[in-house]
Amino acid sequence: MKVRLDHIGIAVADAAAATAWYRDRLGLAVAHVEHVGSQQVTAHFLPAGECLLELLEATAPSSPIAKFLEKRGPGLHHVALAVDDIRAALAELTAAGVRLIDQQPRPGAEGALVAFIHPSEAQGVLVELKQPAVGVRAGHLATVPLFRGPARTTLGSLELVSLSDGFFALDGGAMFGVVPRTLWERRLPPDDRHRIPLGMRPLVVRGDQTVLIDAGCGDKIDAKCAAIYGLDRQYHLAHALADAGLTVEDIDIVVASHLHFDHVGGFTERRADGTLAPRFPRARYIAHAGEWHDATHPHERNRASYLGENFLPLMDAGVLTLVADGAEIVPGVRYRRSGGHTAHHQVVTIESGGRTAVFAADMYPTSVHVPDPWVMGYDLYPVDTLAFKRAFAREAVDGEYLVFFEHDPSMAAGYLRERGGTRTVERVL
Ligand SMILES: [Zn+2]
Ligand SMILES: [Zn+2]
């Protein structure tokens, strides 16, 4: 077995005070904060050379960290060692009679698999074995874990299923607008061509009818563009639908957040005879009338994003309905205009049983974009995006909205949380 030090976990009573101490006394900055709901902890990651310190604060009295603090006070909690194959490592340890806390690996933060060795075996130290997620190797944090799904949850009487149409990559600078690279590169390390990995995550809403929101970029992209965008569709929407127990025939309604190719490329397909046709044979398609106008009257700034092959065949086939701001798609599911990214860009709100979920599309392309000024350089009206985000974040925190991040490489959905003026995302899917 070959291991390398990945991080050191430290239990703290007050993360704000602890991170301030590490910053002021040792010059270590927080690169990223993550709520781990299942463990009831908030983890603050501080890069220190090749490894990280992980400061762990309990978010509830029943958290393992709260119990640790009660028993022993703040201090060293665990040492995490990365391995290439955690199952092989556990088998080797089991064969040697080593006492394990986890016989089988379980999902940890950032898509990793983790398992703990009992401290009685390791001279009183709790040892975490960690198999980092397979991902894009870049930056000193080494990987961006890629999460594929499908992932499902329920919202009142509705079932929500997040799917994947694969991954692609866009220029990191363009994805973060005026935010300096030194701030975003630790969260989403770029590759050697300055691109960051992004997902494409259509969402299925199942109630009396089955609604699909966006459909990824589809399979009509040529090889040259695929290389520019670092397209990885080894696993795509057809696989995801099958894994979710769905077929294209099951979809009743297909909704577009907006008509950019990475959202609606999967709306149509090229048949064997070269003609283009709607991909979901039974579905009614819905787009915003203003967005349709803009997509069919492109200018130099947005022309590369609006490809007629993705939406004109729908109009020709008579299956497309154009609607206005706030339109109800099915009961509980409606458009809400965010503007900003495009003039008529829509998020989709989903309400059932007193709970709310929001498909944020390109308003929050990733969970890294939740700070209000972290607005994409691609946005046509960035100040409008900022205004919408400010108001929306307040609502989402107070109303416990489950927010779906369409382009996040590592997570499908989470809750926005605010503690001590810091806004973070608690991953749910
Ligand atoms: Zn877009
Ligand atoms: Zn997009």
Side-chain angles (χ1 to χ4, degrees):
M1 185 181 329
K2 227 174 151 183
V3 303
R4 55 201 177 275
L5 187 57
D6 183 88
H7 65 264
I8 294 170
I10 299 166
V12 301
D14 178 349
T19 54
W21 187 87
Y22 277 97
R23 181 192 61 217
D24 298 342
R25 300 290 157 255
L26 297 176
L28 298 179
V30 176
H32 143 228
V33 183
E34 188 173 337
H35 280 291
V36 186
S38 60
Q39 296 287 307
Q40 297 173 304
V41 298
T42 305
H44 296 68
F45 293 98
L46 288 66
E50 293 299 302
C51 305
L52 298 162
L53 297 184
E54 180 188 31
L55 303 185
L56 295 156
E57 184 185 46
T59 57
S62 53
S63 158
I65 293 299
K67 289 179 185 154
F68 181 94
L69 289 170
E70 215 170 87
K71 250 203 251 171
R72 310 199 209 176
L76 182 66
H77 181 260
H78 68 269
V79 170
L81 300 171
V83 294
D84 292 329
D85 183 342
I86 196 167
R87 287 190 176 82
L90 291 174
E92 199 178 318
L93 293 168
T94 303
V98 173
R99 188 174 167 202
L100 302 172
I101 292 175
D102 302 295
Q103 315 301 321
Q104 294 295 326
R106 56 191 169 88
E110 300 187 307
L113 291 173
V114 302
F116 285 89
I117 300 173
H118 200 277
S120 63
E121 290 281 354
Q123 297 75 45
V125 177
L126 177 62
V127 176
E128 174 186 344
L129 294 179
K130 170 178 168 181
Q131 179 183 320
V134 179
V136 179
R137 211 188 142 71
H140 76 284
L141 290 185
T143 60
V144 175
L146 301 181
F147 175 70
R148 198 174 75 177
R152 37 176 111 228
T153 186
T154 53
L155 186 88
S157 62
L158 301 174
E159 185 187 17
L160 308 181
V161 191
S162 173
L163 304 177
S164 171
D165 193 41
F167 298 91
F168 68 126
L170 289 175
D171 185 87
M175 280 302 291
F176 289 103
V178 298
V179 179
R181 175 169 168 156
T182 49
L183 295 183
W184 58 256
E185 68 180 353
R186 287 176 167 174
R187 303 291 312 280
L188 279 176
D191 67 10
D192 53 3
R193 295 166 69 181
H194 314 291
R195 302 175 303 183
I196 57 169
L198 297 164
M200 289 179 283
R201 304 186 186 282
L203 181 67
V204 168
V205 182
R206 300 195 82 181
D208 292 336
Q209 293 192 286
T210 300
V211 178
L212 176 67
I213 308 171
D214 287 355
C217 71
D219 55 11
K220 300 188 299 299
I221 291 182
D222 64 41
K224 187 180 156 206
C225 284
I228 291 171
Y229 294 121
L231 202 59
D232 169 6
R233 290 183 76 254
Q234 291 177 61
Y235 181 96
H236 55 67
L237 188 58
H239 301 116
L241 283 168
D243 283 349
L246 292 166
T247 71
V248 291
E249 305 274 345
D250 291 322
I251 307 298
D252 298 303
I253 298 172
V254 180
V255 189
S257 62
H258 63 306
L259 294 172
H260 285 170
F261 74 88
D262 52 319
H263 299 254
V264 299
F267 279 21
T268 63
E269 64 185 0
R270 197 179 300 283
R271 297 242 169 96
D273 63 2
T275 59
L276 291 160
R279 168 121 175 257
F280 301 90
R282 288 183 44 255
R284 189 159 63 85
Y285 288 72
I286 292 175
H288 187 277
E291 177 71 13
W292 171 268
H293 177 271
D294 291 347
T296 51
H297 299 78
H299 49 65
E300 294 82 346
R301 176 73 198 278
N302 63 13
R303 187 163 283 135
S305 299
Y306 287 130
L307 308 178
E309 62 183 12
N310 295 331
F311 44 82
L312 297 177
L314 305 173
M315 193 58 104
D316 296 343
V319 296
L320 181 63
T321 306
L322 299 178
V323 299
D325 289 347
E328 187 174 66
I329 316 295
V330 293
V333 180
R334 59 175 65 242
Y335 264 166
R336 175 173 175 183
R337 178 174 175 273
S338 73
H341 179 62
T342 68
H344 303 281
H345 178 271
Q346 307 287 320
V347 302
V348 181
T349 62
I350 304 150
E351 291 174 329
S352 182
R355 295 179 59 209
T356 302
V358 176
F359 184 83
D362 278 344
M363 188 267 292
Y364 285 150
T366 76
S367 60
V368 181
H369 286 83
V370 301
D372 295 335
W374 291 46
V375 171
M376 286 195 281
Y378 294 109
D379 285 15
L380 293 180
Y381 311 98
V383 177
D384 292 352
T385 308
L386 176 62
F388 185 87
K389 285 176 77 174
R390 264 196 204 129
F392 180 84
R394 210 36 307 119
E395 264 181 55
V397 170
D398 295 345
E400 289 227 316
Y401 291 179
L402 180 62
V403 179
F404 285 81
F405 301 103
E406 189 169 8
H407 289 314
D408 197 293
S410 314
M411 81 164 81
Y415 293 114
L416 268 59
R417 302 287 190 208
E418 249 169 30
R419 273 167 76 95
T422 315
R423 190 180 300 158
T424 59
V425 176
E426 177 185 331
R427 181 178 176 184
V428 175
L429 298 175

